[in-house]
Amino acid sequence: MVEWIRSDTPVPYEEALAFMEARVAAIAAGTTDEAIWLLEHPPLYTAGTSARREDLVDPDRFPVHEAGRGGQYTYHGPGQRIVYVMLDLNRRGRDVRCFVRQLERWVIDTLAEFNVTGEIRDGRVGVWVARPEKGSGADGHPAEDKIAAIGVKLRRWVSFHGISINVEPDLNHFAGIIPCGIRDHGVTSLVDLGLPVTMEDLDAALERSFGPVFDNGRTPDRCE
């Protein structure tokens, strides 16, 4: 069983980390269920294990937290749905690459419910949206913006951290960092795309999309 938890007020980052640490330990010990935690944070930046100091453009703008997850710098704040994913890969197949692909597929399937085409890119973890109306990017290809970031950590093959999906955050807050170390592309949100989606709408779509990706036979040898 997977327990779905939803917090209706912003959760301080240290509090979220402490909760995940305890929950992951209990899942690994077999004393509690897996969990998906839906929440928001107050404005802050997080540094993953690959974060480069030069990508923290404005270090005094918001608090900066060492996250311990994979990836580089990310922004979290109101209007962004954080999805902390505490799943036991001992029972789901010990394949990290497959697990990340499943997380990406989950986001893509969720966005599709709002007629948004999410895409993945080689060498860039996360989910992207093409923005042809913005012209071409620095590489000459049509412009694209990031709508969801993914960064996970495993302990005893139980995952924590997870996904952030931009619903209606203040996109100017991303200017204090180079998001995920990528300088040539922008950031977008569902509302920025002209879609009046609420957190409740997104949460319902996440729940509907979860089962087909994680519980219907997508084992590592069949992982897309």
Side-chain angles (χ1 to χ4, degrees), residues 123-138:
R124 290 192 258 139
V125 176
V127 178
W128 300 80
V129 176
R131 305 297 302 274
E133 72 277 9
K134 290 187 172 183
S136 299

Side-chain angles (χ1 to χ4, degrees), residues 80-98:
Q80 183 187 70
R81 177 50 88 213
I82 305 299
V83 187
Y84 285 141
V85 182
M86 291 159 275
L87 297 179
D88 187 356
L89 271 63
N90 291 291
R91 297 191 290 112
R92 295 175 176 273
R94 294 185 175 187
D95 189 320
V96 178
R97 175 187 169 278
C98 176

Side-chain angles (χ1 to χ4, degrees), residues 38 108 140 163 178 203:
L38 305 171
I108 289 169
I163 299 166
I178 305 299
D203 292 349

Side-chain angles (χ1 to χ4, degrees), residues 38-116:
L38 305 171
L39 68 148
E40 295 172 80
H41 283 307
L44 57 91
Y45 297 128
T46 66
T49 55
S50 301
R52 300 175 297 186
R53 185 67 182 179
E54 61 268 26
D55 289 341
L56 183 59
V57 178
D58 188 355
D60 298 322
R61 188 169 189 176
F62 298 124
V64 181
H65 299 270
E66 299 292 331
R69 53 153 177 81
Q72 301 187 38
Y73 282 107
T74 60
Y75 165 75
H76 296 319
Q80 183 187 70
R81 177 50 88 213
I82 305 299
V83 187
Y84 285 141
V85 182
M86 291 159 275
L87 297 179
D88 187 356
L89 271 63
N90 291 291
R91 297 191 290 112
R92 295 175 176 273
R94 294 185 175 187
D95 189 320
V96 178
R97 175 187 169 278
C98 176
F99 181 58
V100 172
R101 287 300 188 201
Q102 286 176 309
L103 293 174
E104 292 172 336
R105 171 52 54 191
W106 185 23
V107 173
I108 289 169
D109 289 355
T110 297
L111 294 175
E113 293 207 15
F114 307 104
N115 296 315
V116 173

Side-chain angles (χ1 to χ4, degrees), residues 16-25 27 35 67-70 83-87 89 99 103 151-163:
L17 284 181
F19 178 91
M20 285 193 288
E21 294 272 355
R23 186 67 179 241
V24 165
I27 293 169
R69 53 153 177 81
V83 187
Y84 285 141
V85 182
M86 291 159 275
L87 297 179
L89 271 63
F99 181 58
L103 293 174
V152 296
K153 183 176 181 178
L154 299 179
R155 180 168 298 156
R156 295 173 62 187
W157 288 100
V158 178
S159 69
F160 56 125
H161 298 280
I163 299 166

